[in-house]
Amino acid sequence: MRRALLDRTAEGGCPHIQDPGDPPLRICTTIEEMRTACRAARRAGKRLGFVPTMGALHEGHLSLVRAARASSDVVAASIFVNPAQFGPNEDLAKYPRSFERDRELLEREGVELLFAPPVEEMYPAGAVTWVTVEELSGKLDGRSRPGHFRGVTTVVAKLFHVVEPDAAFFGQKDAAQVAIIRRMVRDLNLAVEIVVCPIVREADGLAMSSRNAYLDAQQRQRALVLHRSLMRVQGLAEAGERDAAKLLAVGREEFTGESLVRLDYFEIVDPETLDPVEDVSGGALVAVAAFVGSTRLIDNILLPSA
Ligand code: AMP
């Protein structure tokens, strides 16, 4: 029985405990192999859930897998460190890679199919075709990381074509990415449901990220300013402040005096258009990005409509 043994996590999710009767995790490294396996599942009438990742898995990723597991018959994941979404001076070469550990974690969570292609498989020599969500891709992280979202939407579109999932699972952690992928799916009439899962945090509030591994002990401590700034804004909003300028001032102020941290942006925007809002009464996304040493971290909260 697939769900014979269930346990509960601190977040309230249900991790799947592997059962001896479960099928083993199948690893596909070519597009053809993955496409054939996914099609076979769908032709057998199975609902296929898909979790795209860049590996170096943590509880945030696993929460997506658990959400997929809970609402799909077959769960597929991908591990692909996508060169197209890294800028020339970014951390592509040193991005953490832990394939064997990741494979074990996914198998334990009951994932059936893992797509882990080499770069040449995803980007054949001479590939010049891109998927770009205009305008939105230049906002928030897209402003600081030119070309980043073009790389994301191109690879996600390609992965969707390979896997053809019924539903794909993304983290609210990457709020701009969520808005951009939703827009791509809508604009291109893709037949995939986008499911967004809440941010999973460490006990002290730091949003889990593969990049947290870059932080030394002192930086790890200083990194808490991101979450702290968001909590201050949330507190003020809950107390009735609706003026985005006032909320922004309080959030940004938290960064003054943080000598190890350089604020990249602190913004309050519409969660769909990513345009700044003046008043948060209709609901808003409060998003922050900051460099802690040379590590760029992001975090956000959603303010509900009043
Ligand atoms: P990445 O491997 O960083 O590309 O992330 C793969 C997916 O995991 C994306 O949809 C992320 O938004 C999601 N994710 C990363 N960190 C978290 C987190 N702390 N909580 C929830 N989802 C996350």
Side-chain angles (χ1 to χ4, degrees):
M1 268 290 287
R2 169 155 295 290
R3 287 186 185 77
L5 293 160
L6 290 176
D7 193 6
R8 295 205 74 79
T9 64
E11 297 79 45
C14 293
H16 172 85
I17 307 295
Q18 203 192 358
D19 187 277
D22 287 346
L25 175 65
R26 175 163 171 204
I27 300 170
C28 301
T29 56
T30 68
I31 289 171
E32 195 187 336
E33 199 186 353
M34 185 66 178
R35 182 172 274 152
T36 305
C38 292
R39 285 206 173 142
R42 284 175 43 117
R43 289 208 178 117
K46 310 278 191 201
R47 182 174 164 84
L48 180 59
F50 176 47
V51 182
T53 82
M54 297 206 299
L57 302 182
H58 50 66
E59 280 294 316
H61 297 110
L62 299 183
S63 74
L64 307 184
V65 171
R66 287 169 199 150
R69 181 75 278 156
S71 63
S72 318
D73 301 310
V74 173
V75 178
S78 62
I79 295 179
F80 181 64
V81 182
N82 174 32
Q85 70 188 68
F86 287 79
N89 299 316
E90 293 185 345
D91 56 341
L92 173 62
K94 70 164 187 173
Y95 195 82
R97 289 164 169 86
S98 53
F99 185 79
E100 200 41 42
R101 180 177 169 276
D102 292 349
R103 189 194 63 73
E104 275 172 29
L105 287 170
L106 294 174
E107 183 150 34
R108 217 180 295 158
E109 295 291 340
V111 172
E112 283 94 348
L113 294 169
L114 172 58
F115 186 43
V119 171
E120 317 79 72
E121 181 73 4
M122 289 303 279
Y123 295 105
V128 290
T129 306
W130 298 94
V131 177
T132 307
V133 176
E134 304 279 340
E135 294 177 24
L136 278 183
S137 291
K139 294 175 180 167
L140 297 183
D141 306 284
R143 195 175 327 115
S144 322
R145 305 181 66 189
H148 169 67
F149 284 125
R150 182 180 83 151
V152 169
T153 42
T154 300
V155 84
V156 170
K158 286 159 77 74
L159 290 168
F160 283 177
H161 284 300
V162 174
V163 176
E164 298 179 294
D166 295 285
F169 296 75
F170 292 88
Q172 177 60 28
K173 160 90 186 329
D174 297 87
Q177 173 172 285
V178 162
I180 289 167
I181 287 171
R182 280 194 193 284
R183 186 68 74 89
M184 173 183 82
V185 165
R186 192 202 71 169
D187 289 356
L188 296 180
N189 314 104
L190 302 183
V192 53
E193 180 194 348
I194 301 300
V195 181
V196 180
C197 300
I199 301 178
V200 177
R201 300 178 177 282
E202 303 286 357
D204 59 8
L206 182 70
M208 289 195 184
S209 164
S210 305
R211 290 190 167 97
N212 292 349
Y214 298 147
L215 304 173
D216 66 25
Q218 191 190 19
Q219 291 169 334
R220 170 70 183 71
Q221 195 54 31
R222 300 330 307 164
L224 292 174
V225 64
L226 279 83
H227 182 241
R228 206 165 60 234
S229 66
L230 295 171
M231 289 301 96
R232 281 205 67 195
V233 170
Q234 182 165 292
L236 213 58
E238 281 171 358
E241 183 58 68
R242 309 278 90 194
D243 183 348
K246 291 202 178 123
L247 296 170
L248 279 175
V250 163
R252 287 174 181 155
E253 190 206 43
E254 203 62 32
F255 285 81
T256 54
E258 285 284 350
S259 58
L260 291 180
V261 182
R262 180 165 61 82
L263 187 60
D264 179 4
Y265 66 72
F266 196 106
E267 290 196 42
I268 302 184
V269 299
D270 178 292
E272 278 179 33
T273 64
L274 305 181
D275 285 328
V277 295
E278 289 180 3
D279 183 294
V280 300
S281 302
L285 169 70
V286 187
V288 59
F291 287 91
V292 181
S294 58
T295 304
R296 188 172 181 282
L297 301 177
I298 58 173
D299 201 349
N300 68 84
I301 52 168
L302 282 167
L303 298 179
S305 54

